[in-house]
Amino acid sequence: MNTDSFAQATQNSMQLSPSQFSQICRLVYERCGLCLQNGKESLVKARLLKRLKHLGLTSFSEYLKYLDEDRSMKELGSMIDVLTTNKTSFFREFQHFEFIRSQMLPKLMESHSSATFWSAGCSTGEEPYSLAILIKEGLPEVNSKQCRILATDISHPVLDRARAAVYSEEVIPKDNASLLKKHLIRIQSKPAPLYRISDEVRKMVQFAHLNLTDRWPMQGPFNLILCRNVMIYFDQETRKKLVRRFWELLKHGGHLFVGHSESLTSSSAEFKYVQPAVYLKQ
Ligand SMILES: C[S@@+](CC[C@H](N)C(=O)[O-])C[C@H]1O[C@@H](n2cnc3c(N)ncnc32)[C@H](O)[C@@H]1O
């Protein structure tokens, strides 16, 4: 075989057939509820080619065989990692943080009771750390026993980054830079500045690996559950089940936050709508 025909053969073997695409969709849906729709074939292919290259495989049929034989299920996790989006930022969708500051913290201060929060689908940690910073600012006397934040995600690599709590200058939002910087420690100046979240804030957040579509080991009850920009990738049935399970784990008077492009369906009628993307368990 000459060089050109070898290149062509390699290219052909890298085709992702409709049945291979369906197999991948089914695996991902069964494992984590993520719905990959038709039309996403080229995106899926482009992202998975990185996995093939990493594993030294030359076709999707080899890759599917590898997945099938991998008893550790490690590759399934890596596949899900490359297919999910981890986009997040500090104080993302600021209305939520304003709601916590103006509505929730004053009540907590009055009641002197302890509070528990859950950031479900926390990605690289910006969401739970923003929450911890806000609590620290609003209730300076608070300690990590009084206000506990559980932060979970299906992805091990994002959890490693969240636990490390090291961020570059670019991820510091202009709007809340001074608030955030009060709780950041500069750990490197050159070649580019790097910051770590202060120990006090880090202590308030406990990270754990959790697949939202599996069994949940924690009991709750929580004052607040944030599941923002996660359910958007699930189908109606998975969302419905999840929202029901969130309801069961919330205190009466507790809140559920979803992403601003998401809303609960009428089947989630137990929740009372408070404002966009904020729901109350009465
Ligand atoms: C777009 S990020 C949202 C991060 C943050 N909540 C925010 O709004 O900025 C979605 C996160 O959900 C996680 N995720 C997706 N499916 C999941 C599942 N079945 N169980 C737990 N986490 C999941 C992904 O790994 C990713 O980190």
Side-chain angles (χ1 to χ4, degrees):
M1 198 187 280
N2 66 30
T3 325
D4 279 354
S5 48
F6 179 76
Q8 187 62 46
T10 311
Q11 173 108 24
N12 287 344
S13 65
M14 288 297 189
Q15 292 308 310
L16 177 66
S17 72
S19 85
Q20 287 168 336
F21 178 66
S22 305
Q23 257 179 284
I24 287 166
C25 292
R26 190 175 40 75
L27 279 172
V28 171
Y29 179 75
E30 283 170 0
R31 179 68 189 134
C32 74
L34 177 67
C35 262
L36 297 165
Q37 291 128 0
N38 286 333
K40 296 274 179 202
E41 289 88 339
S42 37
L43 180 110
V44 167
K45 183 180 166 185
R47 292 196 177 174
L48 288 186
L49 279 174
K50 291 184 205 152
R51 293 304 311 153
L52 267 73
K53 197 172 165 207
H54 178 81
L55 297 165
L57 303 175
T58 54
S59 71
F60 279 99
S61 55
E62 274 182 44
Y63 184 61
L64 282 163
K65 188 165 175 282
Y66 184 94
L67 273 170
D68 189 44
E69 289 171 356
D70 176 24
R71 295 280 153 253
S72 71
M73 312 258 274
K74 233 176 131 190
E75 184 50 33
L76 185 57
S78 302
M79 175 167 87
I80 286 165
D81 276 348
V82 294
L83 294 177
T84 47
T85 157
N86 306 119
K87 185 181 175 314
T88 187
S89 55
F90 285 105
F91 298 106
R92 183 182 192 184
E93 301 180 344
F94 193 74
Q95 299 93 311
H96 278 151
F97 294 95
E98 186 46 36
F99 183 86
I100 297 169
R101 193 193 61 75
S102 62
Q103 310 284 319
M104 298 181 73
L105 295 186
K107 284 188 194 145
L108 276 178
M109 194 136 78
E110 262 174 43
S111 68
H112 297 286
S113 56
S114 60
T116 47
F117 303 83
W118 177 20
S119 164
C122 64
S123 191
T124 40
E126 286 87 332
E127 180 176 279
Y129 288 136
S130 300
L131 179 60
I133 287 171
L134 202 79
I135 295 170
K136 200 94 210 127
E137 289 285 320
L139 309 171
E141 300 308 315
V142 80
N143 66 41
S144 54
K145 285 205 183 78
Q146 286 166 291
C147 268
R148 284 190 327 206
I149 302 170
L150 171 68
T152 63
D153 203 282
I154 195 172
S155 165
H156 287 289
V158 297
L159 286 169
D160 289 344
R161 287 174 57 193
R163 286 191 186 100
V166 175
Y167 299 97
S168 65
E169 186 91 42
E170 291 93 74
V171 307
I172 299 174
K174 304 264 171 309
D175 290 349
N176 298 293
S178 54
L179 171 62
L180 189 57
K181 280 198 168 170
K182 274 170 74 180
H183 301 273
L184 293 177
I185 295 151
R186 190 190 272 246
I187 55 164
Q188 174 185 298
S189 304
K190 283 183 179 168
L194 281 182
Y195 301 88
R196 177 174 286 132
I197 304 281
S198 72
D199 288 354
E200 278 202 325
V201 171
R202 274 196 296 139
K203 262 188 228 154
M204 293 171 67
V205 185
Q206 193 198 343
F207 290 97
H209 180 258
L210 182 84
N211 178 353
L212 287 170
T213 59
D214 276 352
R215 205 184 66 78
W216 300 346
M218 64 278 194
Q219 310 278 313
F222 291 97
N223 293 66
L224 170 65
I225 298 175
L226 304 98
C227 187
R228 309 186 311 156
N229 308 300
V230 181
M231 290 190 282
I232 196 167
Y233 305 105
F234 299 162
D235 64 5
Q236 208 47 261
E237 198 191 324
T238 311
R239 274 185 224 161
K240 207 173 129 185
K241 279 191 203 149
L242 266 183
V243 168
R244 177 72 220 172
R245 295 173 76 193
F246 288 144
W247 194 87
E248 281 162 9
L249 244 59
L250 275 169
K251 285 183 185 170
H252 285 283
H255 291 85
L256 172 67
F257 289 179
V258 297
H260 276 83
S261 59
E262 305 164 281
S263 60
L264 301 195
T265 58
S266 49
S267 59
S268 322
E270 296 111 329
F271 276 107
K272 183 176 174 237
Y273 171 87
V274 178
Q275 67 178 56
V278 175
Y279 296 86
L280 169 74
K281 173 173 172 175
Q282 288 178 302

